[in-house]
Amino acid sequence: MAHTLPALPYPFNALEPHIDALTMEIHSQRHHKAYVDNLNKALEKAPDLAGLDIVTLLRGINNVPADIKQAVINNGGGHHNHAVFWEVMGPNGGGEPTGQVADAIKAAFGDFAALKAKVKENGTGQFGSGWTWVVYDPAAGKLAAVKKPNQDSPLMDGHVPVLGIDVWEHAYYLKYQNKRPDYLDAWWNVVNWKAVEARYVAARAGK
Ligand code: MN3
């Protein structure tokens, strides 16, 4: 079964003024769509992998044949990273973390301010394109902040992405131009903590 572009769970302008409608439209309908299309194209050469969901495919990246492995890393990673990104944002977002994920942030980072500082450091420190992530590390049994280049998925490291911010220029250039740190500060106004907590709870349950 072919991978499909998920529907955005809110209108393009729902994250204004922090993320502008045109960026959301181009980002979701063209950039994300290209990853999905190119992933499907790459998998035409590996029919055995066609039935795997995207998470299973990326966790098992070392089982992917060498001739399409990099295409799956780039486009499969691009597909899943963006699916997570749309999910952990939303209208009327922001504020302080709540529930189980608030406790997990306190345990791993001390407090929310320290987490934001680490996410910003990773996002501004990622040279070129990539992502700044908060992941659940099953081996350590806690949250961690990591940066990844390009579309490399944290799933390939055995981590579960709980929250991520895209720092490719296509994610912020129309509104923020070269000011990536300003975009990273503004991003917390659109975080959907309910969705982040749900991802954390599922990750702890081994899903
Ligand atoms: Mn992107």
Side-chain angles (χ1 to χ4, degrees), residues 126-198:
Q126 174 56 49
F127 182 76
S129 297
W131 291 72
T132 174
W133 290 104
V134 177
V135 299
Y136 179 67
D137 178 352
K142 60 179 193 171
L143 294 174
V146 298
K147 63 181 177 199
K148 300 287 290 177
N150 304 313
Q151 296 295 353
D152 290 7
S153 169
L155 291 165
M156 299 191 301
D157 304 324
H159 293 155
V160 183
V162 168
L163 170 166
I165 310 178
D166 188 344
V167 299
W168 286 56
E169 284 188 343
H170 67 226
Y172 63 86
Y173 204 83
L174 293 181
K175 184 174 172 74
Y176 297 92
Q177 296 85 44
N178 58 317
K179 293 172 283 197
R180 187 187 287 185
D182 291 359
Y183 158 69
L184 286 164
D185 288 338
W187 189 85
W188 295 102
N189 292 302
V190 299
V191 63
N192 177 346
W193 284 117
K194 265 199 161 65
V196 173
E197 186 185 19

Side-chain angles (χ1 to χ4, degrees), residues 16-186:
E16 293 266 13
H18 310 291
I19 302 184
D20 61 283
L22 183 59
T23 293
M24 287 301 293
E25 180 172 1
I26 296 171
H27 200 177
S28 63
Q29 304 304 299
R30 299 194 213 162
H31 289 277
H32 190 174
K33 183 176 189 299
Y35 295 123
V36 173
D37 291 347
N38 289 326
L39 172 64
N40 286 327
K41 201 168 161 198
L43 290 174
E44 284 171 8
K45 291 186 187 162
D48 324 354
L49 303 177
L52 300 181
D53 66 82
I54 187 63
V55 171
T56 307
L57 182 66
L58 290 166
R59 281 184 176 147
I61 193 67
N62 291 326
N63 305 321
V64 174
D67 61 328
I68 62 162
K69 186 173 176 182
Q70 193 60 49
V72 172
I73 290 172
N74 294 345
N75 296 293
H79 173 28
H80 187 257
N81 291 343
H82 286 87
V84 173
F85 190 50
W86 313 136
E87 182 187 333
V88 299
M89 298 190 290
N92 310 310
E96 299 279 321
T98 50
Q100 293 186 49
V101 79
D103 297 338
I105 287 169
K106 201 175 273 182
F109 301 99
D111 59 21
F112 179 39
L115 167 76
K116 282 197 286 192
K118 190 67 196 161
V119 167
K120 185 174 184 179
E121 180 190 323
N122 283 341
T124 52
Q126 174 56 49
F127 182 76
S129 297
W131 291 72
T132 174
W133 290 104
V134 177
V135 299
Y136 179 67
D137 178 352
K142 60 179 193 171
L143 294 174
V146 298
K147 63 181 177 199
K148 300 287 290 177
N150 304 313
Q151 296 295 353
D152 290 7
S153 169
L155 291 165
M156 299 191 301
D157 304 324
H159 293 155
V160 183
V162 168
L163 170 166
I165 310 178
D166 188 344
V167 299
W168 286 56
E169 284 188 343
H170 67 226
Y172 63 86
Y173 204 83
L174 293 181
K175 184 174 172 74
Y176 297 92
Q177 296 85 44
N178 58 317
K179 293 172 283 197
R180 187 187 287 185
D182 291 359
Y183 158 69
L184 286 164
D185 288 338

